[in-house]
Structure formats: C-alpha cells, structure tokens
Amino acid sequence: MSINNAWLAVCDLTDIVPDTGVCALIDGEQVAIFHVQHAQEKVFAIGNYDPASQAAVLSRGLVGSIGERVVVASPIYKQHFDLKTGECVESPEYSVRAYATRIEGGRVWVQAGAQTQAYDEESAEAHQDVHAGALA
C-alpha cells in the first residue's frame, strides 16, 4: 500500500543529534533525515542510497556547506549531496531524491510523495516553495 503525499511524523527533533542524520523507512524507501543547526531550514530529507557506491549510507555522512549550499558528504566516495535538492554537486547524474520536510510540535515530518529531482531546477524550486509553505 502506498502512502504517497502523506505527511508522516518520523521522530522528535531532539532524537537527531544536531548536524547529523538518521535513516527512516518511508513508503518502502530508506530516507536520510538531517537536523542542521546552522541552516535556516532545520531539517532535510534525501534518499539514503548513494548511487556511486551503491550503498545505503548517506544518513551517516558528514554535514557541512559548500558556499551557501548545505550538503552531506557520502562516507564512501565523498561526493557532496545538496540537502535541499538531492543534487550530487560533483556528478549530477548521481543525484538522489529530496523530500519535503517540516517541524511541527517538536516532531520531524516528511512528506512521502513530495519528491524532487535535483537536476531539475523547476522541481527544486517547487520543493522549496512546499517546504517554505509548510513552515509558515
């Protein structure tokens, strides 16, 4: 049974150590969820599967920034994935899905069906609009 477009409460924000990630199974997909203290948006969610290494490890990557982009470095080959869009900075063909997120009542919510493709700027902008609307 699919739960597309449903908002799912994944965990409390305090369950995620700041500037790290956790993994959750959402609608049959592993999703890496990050709590980033220094970012304007506090939580991000992208696919957990690293296409370059073919391993589900992105939730274990190091969180940082490249310019104004908040990224996670894959723990295996160190490619950087933009946490807003899922775009692989070095190799866009390795981009992963990005999910809409929000914080409500101290809980982290992820929208199962609201995915974007990083290399599609129009979709990325739509994702940001969804995210901004969810926080308003």
Side-chain angles (χ1 to χ4, degrees):
M1 181 171 128
S2 176
I3 54 173
N4 282 340
N5 297 321
W7 282 98
L8 302 170
V10 177
C11 63
D12 288 339
L13 182 60
T14 56
D15 291 335
I16 308 173
V17 174
D19 299 322
T20 67
V22 297
C23 183
L25 189 62
I26 297 176
D27 201 16
E29 299 289 330
Q30 288 191 26
V31 178
I33 302 166
F34 298 90
H35 173 194
V36 181
Q37 273 192 316
H38 69 277
Q40 183 176 5
E41 299 173 44
K42 297 287 185 197
V43 291
F44 302 91
I46 62 173
N48 192 44
Y49 182 78
D50 178 355
S53 66
Q54 300 186 3
V57 295
L58 293 181
S59 63
R60 298 180 182 186
L62 294 175
V63 174
S65 60
I66 297 177
E68 296 194 17
R69 298 173 93 170
V70 180
V71 298
V72 62
S74 173
I76 297 183
Y77 293 128
K78 312 303 183 211
Q79 293 100 336
H80 298 93
F81 293 85
D82 187 309
L83 292 181
K84 287 185 180 178
T85 65
E87 180 181 15
C88 179
V89 175
E90 293 84 4
S91 304
E93 67 273 16
Y94 286 146
S95 298
V96 297
R97 292 178 177 170
Y99 296 80
T101 61
R102 70 181 189 208
I103 301 169
E104 185 177 300
R107 309 260 312 151
V108 175
W109 295 77
V110 176
Q111 191 172 26
Q115 304 165 352
T116 63
Q117 292 295 323
Y119 41 83
D120 180 349
E121 289 185 17
E122 186 175 316
S123 294
E125 289 176 8
H127 167 73
Q128 290 172 353
D129 290 343
V130 167
H131 188 83
L135 296 175

